């Protein structure tokens, strides 16, 4: 309805604009055209009156007299051509000759005053009541020997001027209507480039609001509308991915919480109802504690990821990454001793400073080393190395364990993802460790890569920025 309103408003506005424009053009064109025609006709008639007056001035200048009656046919022809009446009058206003079959010949023009027009060369009206309609009148004096002996008057009915005026106006109106009709192309362009795409975009927005995030808006134009449609399509894809992730997230959380809770509930019920004898209760209570630690670890991992989703959480400083690696590796001494695993540390320099969040990088190293230990064989070696290339510090954690299947490499960064080997080998995993690692490294604006061959081992390599000026 809103789109229809917008379209109709545009059409109504366009029609109003066209109507007002046509009225304005008609009004000003009518006035300007009439005034211009009036002046042009007056100038033409005045020039013609002077030519006629020059012919009749001969007798007064000592030239051969010309009989007025002899000049009548010529005067009548000129008047017919001009569609006007031509009079020859004397100084007192008596009409001596009338081109219109001498109908007014001998009549006296009452109150005749050839100077009444003032600075203008013409007058408009009924010319001292001599006509029943308005005429455009011009006069030219008949002179001789520096005296004025009469006047040539030409009277053109205003209807003649109106006829010419209407002809020109009709051409202007037709031209304006043609232009207005051609300008309807604007409506077609508007409908094609704005209204129809906007209608599709609105339909898409309604689909998204109804929960259909797979709907695609089919607008392929290379303009703002096409860009908006592409943006909305991208938004719907991302929202759909987020919705699928949320469903997976809930399913995974439910699964990972349900297993330890079921174990805790089973152990405690067995202790209470006496199924587990008293002398074995300590053993199962320790299992309950292990399960609660697993739940606590899962909860902490989720909280960590939640904090990583927020911007501006990093607290960066310059520190020695080699020292952090040594301290982190030392914290696994007990675990490594039980499996006979050793560390081989290789540093390009004794001290290698980086600019990063110390606590978060410790967490990255802890998770990667913990992962390497988990999937390493007994009596094996874990290699940790730092190197500098292109103003970046690269850290590598490499094991010689079971490796990652090729099909699973892309999935290891997903939250709650655990390979089948992980689930069978270590039930304490939460599937959040590598997701946390990737979030932390990306938050630093850096990258982390994995190289793994099944049955050979896995290597994780991540970069850190070199320190700022000390």
């Amino acid at each position: 309805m809103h789109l229809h309103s917008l379209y109709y408003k545009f059409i109504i506005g366009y029609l109003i604009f066209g109507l007002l424009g046509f009225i304005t053009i008609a009004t000003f064109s009518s006035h300007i055209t009439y005034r211009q025609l009036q002046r042009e006709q007056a100038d033409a008639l005045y020039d013609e009156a002077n030519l006629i007056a020059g012919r009749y001035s001969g007798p007064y200048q000592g030239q051969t007299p010309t009989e007025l009656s002899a000049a009548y046919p010529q005067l009548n022809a000129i008047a017919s051509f001009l569609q006007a009446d031509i009079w020859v009058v004397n100084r007192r206003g008596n009409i001596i000759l009338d081109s219109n079959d001498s109908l007014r010949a001998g009549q006296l023009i009452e109150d005749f005053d050839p100077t009444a027009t003032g600075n203008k060369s013409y007058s408009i009206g009924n010319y001292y009541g001599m006509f029943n309609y308005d005429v455009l009148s011009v006069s030219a004096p008949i002179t001789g020997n520096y005296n004025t002996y009469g006047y040539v008057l030409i009277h053109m009915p205003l209807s003649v001027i109106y006829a010419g005026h209407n002809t020109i106006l009709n051409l202007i109106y037709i031209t304006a209507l043609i232009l207005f009709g051609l300008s309807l192309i604007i409506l077609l362009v508007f409908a094609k480039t704005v209204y129809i795409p906007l209608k599709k975009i609105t339909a898409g927005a309604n689909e998204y609001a109804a929960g259909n995030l797979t709907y695609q808006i089919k607008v392929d134009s290379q303009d703002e509308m096409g860009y908006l449609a592409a943006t909305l399509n991208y938004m719907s894809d991302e929202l759909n991915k987020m919705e699928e992730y949320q469903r997976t997230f809930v399913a995974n959380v439910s699964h990972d919480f349900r297993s330890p809770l079921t174990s805790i509930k089973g152990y405690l019920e067995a202790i209470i109802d006496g199924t587990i004898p008293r002398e074995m209760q300590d053993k199962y209570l320790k299992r309950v504690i292990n399960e609660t630690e697993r739940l606590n670890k899962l909860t902490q991992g989720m909280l960590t990821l939640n904090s990583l989703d927020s911007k501006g959480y990093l607290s960066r400083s310059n520190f020695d990454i080699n020292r952090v690696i040594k301290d982190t590796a030392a914290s696994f001494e007990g675990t490594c001793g039980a499996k006979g695993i050793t560390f081989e540390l290789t540093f390009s320099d004794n001290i290698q400073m980086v600019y990063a969040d110390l606590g978060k990088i410790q967490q990255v190293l802890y998770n990667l080393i913990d992962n390497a230990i988990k999937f390493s064989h007994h009596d094996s070696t874990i290699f940790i190395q730092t190197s500098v290339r292109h103003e970046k510090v690269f850290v590598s954690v490499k094991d010689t364990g079971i490796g990652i299947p090729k099909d699973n490499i892309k999935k290891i960064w997903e939250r709650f993802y655990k390979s089948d080997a992980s689930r069978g080998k270590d039930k304490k995993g939460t599937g959040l460790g590598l997701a946390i690692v990737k979030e932390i490294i990306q938050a630093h604006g850096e990258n982390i890569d994995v190289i793994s061959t099944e049955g050979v081992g896995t290597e994780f390599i991540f970069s850190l920025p070199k320190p700022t000026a000390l």
Side-chain angles (χ1 to χ4, degrees):
M1 184 62 186
H2 295 295
L3 279 180
H4 287 296
S5 298
L6 176 64
Y7 189 57
Y8 293 148
K9 286 178 182 177
F10 185 84
I11 293 176
I12 292 172
Y14 178 78
L15 293 176
I16 291 175
F17 173 79
L19 180 61
L20 292 177
F22 184 78
I23 293 173
T24 302
I25 291 173
T27 302
F28 282 96
S29 297
S30 177
H31 179 74
I32 293 172
T33 303
Y34 177 72
R35 299 296 297 177
Q36 182 65 23
L37 282 175
Q38 194 178 83
R39 285 192 294 269
E40 289 179 356
Q41 289 289 6
D43 292 342
L45 293 178
Y46 184 75
D47 291 341
E48 193 64 39
N50 277 319
L51 288 175
I52 296 172
R55 296 191 188 100
Y56 292 127
S57 65
Y60 306 108
Q61 298 181 32
Q63 299 175 8
T64 303
T66 300
E67 292 292 336
L68 293 178
S69 59
Y72 175 76
Q74 184 182 12
L75 199 67
N76 184 266
I78 295 172
S80 178
F81 175 77
L82 295 176
Q83 295 182 286
D85 287 342
I86 302 177
W87 299 348
V88 178
V89 300
N90 59 21
R91 295 178 58 185
R92 293 186 299 274
N94 286 318
I95 301 174
I96 299 173
L97 186 63
D98 179 7
S99 64
N100 191 12
D101 297 328
S102 299
L103 292 178
R104 293 185 176 83
Q107 292 186 15
L108 175 66
I109 302 174
E110 298 290 340
D111 301 322
F112 175 67
D113 182 5
T115 64
T117 58
N119 294 329
K120 294 175 65 176
S121 62
Y122 65 92
S123 64
I124 294 176
N126 59 11
Y127 203 75
Y128 301 102
M130 299 299 291
F131 295 93
N132 295 325
Y133 47 87
D134 289 338
V135 294
L136 171 67
S137 302
V138 298
S139 65
I142 300 173
T143 59
N145 297 324
Y146 304 103
N147 289 314
T148 299
Y149 297 98
Y151 299 91
V152 174
L153 304 177
I154 301 179
H155 308 286
M156 175 178 283
L158 290 184
S159 59
V160 175
I161 298 176
Y162 281 127
H165 171 249
N166 290 335
T167 300
I168 294 175
L169 279 185
N170 288 336
L171 293 175
I172 293 175
Y173 294 159
I174 292 172
T175 303
L177 289 174
I178 291 173
L179 291 176
F180 182 73
L182 292 175
S183 65
L184 290 174
I185 297 173
I186 296 174
L187 285 178
L188 298 177
V189 173
F190 173 80
K192 181 176 178 59
T193 61
V194 178
Y195 175 66
I196 294 176
L198 194 57
K199 190 174 181 181
K200 292 180 179 179
I201 291 172
T202 301
N206 290 331
E207 290 291 332
Y208 300 152
N212 182 14
L213 296 177
T214 60
Y215 185 86
Q216 291 290 302
I217 301 173
K218 297 180 181 179
V219 177
D220 301 322
S221 58
Q222 302 299 316
D223 54 17
E224 287 79 1
M225 285 296 175
Y227 177 75
L228 177 59
T231 302
L232 290 175
N233 286 334
Y234 175 76
M235 178 197 72
S236 66
D237 290 340
E238 292 301 310
L239 288 175
N240 191 43
K241 291 177 183 178
M242 185 176 296
E243 186 174 338
E244 291 178 359
Y245 164 75
Q246 288 175 344
R247 287 195 294 265
T248 304
F249 179 85
V250 171
N252 288 331
V253 168
S254 300
H255 177 273
D256 280 21
F257 269 86
R258 183 172 61 249
S259 179
L261 286 174
T262 301
S263 297
I264 291 171
K265 180 174 181 292
Y267 292 143
L268 292 177
E269 287 178 345
I271 291 173
I272 292 174
D273 61 20
T275 303
I276 298 175
R278 184 175 295 275
E279 61 273 12
M280 297 187 64
Q281 286 183 3
D282 289 345
K283 173 184 176 182
Y284 287 98
L285 285 174
K286 288 180 180 179
R287 291 185 180 178
V288 170
I289 291 174
N290 289 336
E291 293 296 334
T292 57
E293 288 178 350
R294 180 182 170 191
L295 285 174
N296 182 62
K297 187 178 180 181
L298 180 62
T299 303
Q300 290 298 323
M302 291 172 60
L303 291 174
T304 300
L305 283 174
N306 184 61
S307 68
L308 292 173
D309 287 336
S310 304
K311 300 300 181 182
Y313 74 96
L314 294 178
S315 178
R316 299 180 190 238
S317 61
N318 295 328
F319 62 88
D320 181 10
I321 187 64
N322 294 346
R323 171 53 57 188
V324 175
I325 292 173
K326 291 176 183 178
D327 293 342
T328 306
S331 68
F332 287 93
E333 183 178 351
T335 306
C336 290
K339 296 182 65 174
I341 295 175
T342 59
F343 289 104
E344 183 176 314
L345 307 182
T346 306
F347 303 138
S348 58
D349 293 302
N350 291 330
I351 298 176
Q352 184 60 67
M353 302 297 292
V354 296
Y355 180 65
D357 187 313
L358 175 58
K360 294 296 188 296
I361 297 304
Q362 280 179 325
Q363 190 172 7
V364 168
L365 288 169
Y366 184 90
N367 287 345
L368 291 179
I369 294 173
D370 182 59
N371 230 41
I373 294 172
K374 184 190 303 182
F375 294 102
S376 290
H377 303 296
H378 284 70
D379 302 321
S380 61
T381 302
I382 295 175
F383 303 89
I384 305 177
Q385 178 183 338
T386 62
S387 59
V388 179
R389 294 194 303 273
H390 308 297
E391 300 302 318
K392 297 284 186 181
V393 176
F394 290 87
V395 180
S396 166
V397 178
K398 180 179 180 181
D399 64 63
T400 56
I402 62 175
I404 304 171
K406 185 177 180 180
D407 294 338
N408 294 349
I409 288 180
K410 292 184 179 180
K411 300 178 182 178
I412 63 173
W413 307 112
E414 297 177 3
R415 300 180 182 187
F416 294 104
Y417 175 78
K418 287 187 277 188
S419 67
D420 292 338
S422 173
R423 291 187 182 274
K425 191 175 182 68
D426 185 357
K427 292 293 185 179
K428 295 181 180 179
T430 64
L432 295 176
L434 291 179
I436 293 173
V437 166
K438 187 172 184 179
E439 291 283 352
I440 291 175
I441 297 302
Q442 287 184 338
H444 281 80
E446 302 297 331
N447 295 310
I448 182 168
D449 295 316
V450 59
I451 302 171
S452 183
T453 302
E454 193 171 4
V456 176
T458 302
E459 180 181 13
F460 288 92
I461 306 171
F462 64 90
S463 61
L464 291 174
K466 294 187 73 173
T468 57
L470 297 175

